[in-house]
Amino acid sequence: MDTKLYGALEAGGTKMVLGIADADGRILRSHSLPTRTPNETVPEMIAFFSQHAICALGVATFGPAQVHADSPEYGAILHTPKLAWQGYPLCQTLSRALNVPFACDTDVNAAALAEVRLGAARGLHSCLYMTIGTGIGGGLYCEDRLVHGMLHPEWGHMLLVPRADDPTPEGFCPFHQHCAEGLAAGPAMEKRWGVSARDLPADHPAFDLEAYYLAQVCVNALMTVSPERILLGGGVMQREGLLPRVRQYVRQLQNGYITAPELNDLDAYIQTPALYPLSGLVGAALLALSAR
């Protein structure tokens, strides 16, 4: 019986969530702290993990990040808007301080891995996990492995078709006009309507527009990578009634082009994650198991 302990880190732009897991990926203890500068934040993370004699560390990080293990920059944060973290060798710093091996991937890829192994996509060979919150990101598990590509996919920056009744059709991304994140992330909703998404009434037209844009993302995924399941997580998706509208627009936009039996039941095909809000942390624990 494996009684070793494994460290898990879900590194976010707002907070760092740290966990201690067993050999089955179960989180035994967790702790969170605000994401400040590396000089302020990293020593606190090292102190937490040092208390528990972990044998390996898994890191699920915000991006862009170097997730290719053969790169000398493996585990480093790259060109992030959080300037203090640009180029910071996060995983290598933690690994050296704790004297343990590490494995690293994006936060959304780790969440996808967790849902395939233990959650809402268990037993499937492919799954797209999308998070819709402060930003929009996606992790793709396809043909029994996580997809990285040249660096890692940026699902939140796919370009969408603005709807005619959108009062801000260009969106709010500093890099692209009418990309998914600029049109449908939580801050975009707040800038468009002047009120946080969490404070908008349920019948506000914001949610119909939001569902339309998220459905475009889902249909684009359906047409390009054909996942066996799509999971929509993140804070925005917690609003009651949003997910059924997304499904309605997916059915309308894909217009019967794909006739796979999975699409006969969109309630099953497009779901919320079973492990939310711990999908990323559980995924980090599973990454740690692979670093043994």
Side-chain angles (χ1 to χ4, degrees):
M1 180 178 180
D2 189 345
T3 59
K4 295 177 181 176
L5 297 178
Y6 299 83
L9 169 61
E10 184 178 9
T14 302
K15 66 179 178 178
M16 301 286 184
V17 183
L18 300 80
I20 303 299
D22 64 15
D24 294 319
R26 290 178 298 208
I27 304 299
L28 306 177
R29 182 174 301 178
S30 65
H31 174 66
S32 65
L33 50 95
T35 302
R36 293 164 290 169
T37 67
N39 287 341
E40 295 171 299
T41 309
V42 171
E44 293 184 34
M45 294 193 286
I46 292 171
F48 173 82
F49 288 123
S50 295
Q51 298 173 18
H52 299 285
I54 62 173
C55 65
L57 176 67
V59 178
T61 182
F62 66 93
Q66 180 52 260
V67 296
H68 291 287
D70 58 354
S71 169
E73 293 184 305
Y74 178 47
I77 308 298
L78 301 177
H79 193 64
T80 174
K82 294 188 72 66
L83 299 180
W85 292 86
Q86 279 191 9
Y88 186 74
L90 174 61
C91 295
Q92 293 185 7
T93 301
L94 293 173
S95 176
R96 284 195 299 265
L98 298 167
N99 194 30
V100 295
F102 74 88
C104 173
D105 215 315
T106 63
D107 48 2
V108 280
N109 256 10
L113 178 65
E115 293 294 335
V116 167
R117 296 276 179 85
L118 301 170
R122 191 168 186 171
L124 300 180
H125 300 287
S126 63
C127 166
L128 175 64
Y129 177 99
M130 296 287 301
T131 183
I132 299 94
T134 304
I136 291 181
L140 179 63
Y141 185 89
C142 188
E143 306 298 341
D144 299 315
R145 68 181 186 88
L146 293 169
V147 174
H148 295 135
M150 180 177 59
L151 181 61
H152 50 74
E154 287 284 357
W155 288 90
H157 293 275
M158 68 169 63
L159 304 183
L160 305 182
V161 178
R163 202 164 71 174
D165 62 344
D166 186 345
T168 56
E170 293 183 354
F172 300 94
C173 175
F175 295 97
H176 316 109
Q177 292 185 1
H178 46 80
C179 73
E181 184 167 293
L183 289 171
M189 296 182 71
E190 184 170 354
K191 289 175 182 177
R192 178 184 291 114
W193 304 109
V195 181
S196 171
R198 73 174 71 90
D199 297 324
L200 290 169
D203 61 350
H204 195 281
F207 295 108
D208 189 75
L209 185 62
E210 180 74 3
Y212 179 78
Y213 287 143
L214 296 181
Q216 283 195 56
V217 175
C218 292
V219 171
N220 286 342
L222 177 60
M223 299 299 178
T224 55
V225 296
S226 195
E228 294 174 283
R229 186 153 298 161
I230 296 175
L231 303 176
L232 300 180
V236 172
M237 292 307 304
Q238 303 313 300
R239 288 302 302 257
E240 186 176 358
L242 179 57
L243 184 58
R245 292 189 192 188
V246 173
R247 295 181 182 125
Q248 290 171 6
Y249 277 122
V250 167
R251 189 174 302 281
Q252 175 183 319
L253 291 172
Q254 89 96 2
N255 198 29
Y257 180 74
I258 294 178
T259 57
E262 289 86 349
L263 299 185
N264 294 333
D265 183 4
L266 285 184
D267 288 0
Y269 183 70
I270 304 174
Q271 298 186 25
T272 53
L275 302 176
Y276 181 83
L278 295 177
S279 303
L281 190 62
V282 173
L286 296 176
L287 290 173
L289 293 175
S290 73
R292 287 184 290 179

